[in-house]
Amino acid sequence: MPQPVYRIENLVHQYNSHPVLAVDRLEIQPASIVGLVGPNGSGKSTLLKLMAFILRPTGGRILFDGVPTLPFDKSVRFQVTLLTQDPYLMKRTVFKNIAYGLNVRGNREDRPGSVCDALAMVGLDPHVFVQRQWDELSGGEAQRVALAARLVLKPRVLLLDEPTASVDAASSELIRSASLHARSELGTTLVIASHDREWLYDVCDKVIHLFKGKLVGTGRSNMIFGPWIPEEGGLYAKLLGNGTRLVVSAPPNVDATAFIDPAAIRILDNGAAATPANTVFVEGTVTRLALERQSGKLFADVRAGSLTLVVQVEEFHLASTTLHQGRPVTLAYQPESIRWQ
Ligand SMILES: Nc1ncnc2c1ncn2[C@@H]1O[C@H](COP(=O)(O)OP(=O)(O)O)[C@@H](O)[C@H]1O
Ligand SMILES: [Mg+2]
C-alpha cells in the first residue's frame, strides 16, 4: 500500500460546544475517488472543511502525506482545493475567473492554454466561453466554471461539496467525467460529498456513510429511521402504510436507526428454495434497476409502502429477464442481519 494522502486520527469537531463530528480513523489513498454520503447535518461539509485545512478541529489530527498538518498550513495551501456548495464567481469574465488562481500562485505557464484545457475538461467550449461574463451562465455552466477554476490548478486533492446539487443531468454527467479525468490525467485524489447516491456510486471507488457525525459503513446501505413498534416474539416493526410492515430485530431504543446491507436482502423467485425459519418478508415493487459501473453489480430499488429499499440482485436473477421496473416482488431477510445506530 502506498502512503495514504490523508490519515485522520480521532478527529472531533464541535460548533459552540455542540459535537457534530467524531471520526476515529479514516485513510484516503492517492488517486482514489471517495464519496461521502449522509443525510443533512451528518457532518459532510464539516469533514471536507477540516480536510481542506480551513477549519480548526476541536480535537484529533490529520496527517497529510504522513505529516501532521495544521489548519492554514502553507505546505498544503496549493495542494488541496475545496469547491464549496455554492461556489462564488467573481464579477468578471470566465477567463479571468479561471486564471485568477494561477495568478495568485504566480504560475507563469501558458495561461490561455491552461484555461482552455480546464474549460474543455468540464465540457465547455473555450471559444464560446472564455469571454462570457459571470452572469451569462446557466446554473450548471457556472458550477462547471467554478470546477474548471479548481482543475486549472492541477491540485493533488480536490474536495467537492455537493457538486451536482443545483445542476441538470447533463451537467452532472460532465462533472462526473471531469472528476474521472482529473484522477486519470492529473493523478488527483478526490473526496466528494453528495446526497445524490446514484451519481456518487457511479463516480466513486468507495462510498463512505456519515450519520450524526460518525462513519457508519461503506458501500450501498439501507438506512431506516424509527419509530419502531413492538411485535410478537420480541421483534419490532416500522409501519409503511397500506398494512405493509418492515419487521426488524429489537432496536436499542424505539427511535434508533436500522442499517440493512443490500446483499442481506433477497428477491424471492416463484418456487424459490426454502428460506430459514426466522426469515421475514415484505412485499414491494421494483422501481429502478441500476448497474454500478465500478463493480459491475446490479442493484434494484424496491418500493415497499412509503420506503424504498436497495437490494443487491443475485446472479441467477441477472441471467433471467424477469426482473424489470414495475414488477411486484417479495423481499426476504433475517431480522438479525440488521445493524443498529
Ligand atoms: N458554522 C456553524 N456553526 C454552528 N453549527 C454548524 C455550523 N456549520 C454546521 N453546523 C452544524 O453542524 C452539523 C453538521 O453540519 P454539516 O457539516 O454542514 O453537515 P452536512 O454537510 O452533512 O449537511 C449540523 O448540525 C449543522 O447545523
Ligand atoms: Mg453540507
Side-chain angles (χ1 to χ4, degrees):
M1 271 284 191
Q3 165 115 280
V5 181
Y6 283 100
R7 183 185 189 137
I8 287 177
E9 295 176 351
N10 303 315
L11 192 65
V12 175
H13 194 71
Q14 301 181 348
Y15 292 111
N16 312 318
S17 308
H18 182 70
V20 298
L21 193 76
V23 175
D24 297 341
R25 196 176 174 86
L26 175 64
E27 289 188 352
I28 308 278
Q29 299 301 327
S32 58
I33 306 184
V34 175
L36 292 176
V37 72
N40 275 342
S42 55
K44 302 181 297 295
S45 296
T46 302
L47 180 55
L48 288 181
K49 284 177 195 160
L50 292 167
M51 292 176 81
F53 301 104
I54 58 168
L55 181 66
R56 190 172 301 281
T58 311
R61 59 181 196 164
I62 303 178
L63 284 74
F64 190 83
D65 286 340
V67 180
T69 302
L70 294 173
F72 311 104
D73 194 320
K74 285 198 179 65
S75 66
V76 288
R77 195 170 146 218
F78 290 165
Q79 301 202 57
V80 180
T81 178
L82 168 67
L83 183 65
T84 55
Q85 188 165 352
D86 297 303
Y88 167 79
L89 290 183
M90 293 174 294
K91 294 181 175 158
R92 299 177 192 175
T93 61
V94 165
F95 181 90
K96 285 187 174 157
N97 267 283
I98 298 174
Y100 176 79
L102 292 174
N103 295 339
V104 168
R105 294 178 190 198
N107 198 328
R108 304 221 168 274
E109 68 180 277
D110 169 28
R111 276 181 205 156
S114 301
V115 170
C116 290
D117 288 349
L119 274 172
M121 214 161 162
V122 297
L124 293 171
D125 182 348
H127 295 105
V128 177
F129 283 94
V130 277
Q131 291 312 322
R132 281 275 179 99
Q133 293 296 332
W134 84 99
D135 58 353
E136 296 169 348
L137 302 167
S138 73
E141 288 163 356
Q143 180 74 349
R144 284 184 281 141
V145 167
L147 177 57
R150 308 301 184 284
L151 290 171
V152 77
L153 305 172
K154 300 187 167 66
R156 287 225 16 241
V157 175
L158 183 56
L159 307 168
L160 305 178
D161 199 354
E162 303 278 0
T164 62
S166 52
V167 307
D168 62 13
S171 279
S172 290
E173 177 55 24
L174 289 162
I175 292 168
R176 186 184 85 86
S177 53
S179 301
L180 293 171
H181 195 88
R183 181 251 291 276
S184 63
E185 300 302 309
L186 309 173
T188 301
T189 304
L190 291 100
V191 183
I192 311 177
S194 177
H195 63 271
D196 186 345
R197 287 166 176 253
E198 287 312 317
W199 183 86
L200 211 54
Y201 285 115
D202 262 358
V203 65
C204 295
D205 311 320
K206 180 178 175 186
V207 173
I208 298 172
H209 294 255
L210 259 182
F211 183 63
K212 293 186 180 165
K214 297 206 168 90
L215 303 185
V216 292
T218 57
R220 284 175 193 258
S221 183
N222 292 293
M223 187 188 290
I224 307 154
F225 300 103
W228 305 98
I229 294 160
E231 293 262 306
E232 285 169 18
L235 296 174
Y236 282 70
K238 182 181 170 86
L239 304 181
L240 306 174
N242 290 336
T244 308
R245 288 147 53 252
L246 186 83
V247 178
V248 297
S249 55
N253 61 71
V254 292
D255 291 315
T257 301
F259 289 83
I260 312 182
D261 183 343
I265 308 176
R266 291 174 56 203
I267 295 175
L268 289 190
D269 227 25
N270 290 339
T275 49
N278 53 350
T279 305
V280 294
F281 304 93
V282 61
E283 303 293 329
T285 305
V286 176
T287 54
R288 180 191 159 101
L289 290 167
L291 185 67
E292 193 171 278
R293 290 190 221 205
Q294 304 283 349
S295 66
K297 290 177 186 163
L298 184 68
F299 291 88
D301 284 355
V302 176
R303 185 137 199 100
S306 55
L307 185 73
T308 296
L309 289 163
V310 56
V311 179
Q312 186 177 330
V313 178
E314 292 170 275
E315 301 245 329
F316 77 90
H317 280 299
L318 288 175
S320 74
T321 54
T322 55
L323 209 57
H324 57 83
Q325 214 166 322
R327 187 189 140 174
V329 288
T330 302
L331 302 180
Y333 60 94
Q334 319 304 126
E336 300 72 45
S337 63
I338 291 167
R339 288 185 301 115
W340 292 99
Q341 288 278 336

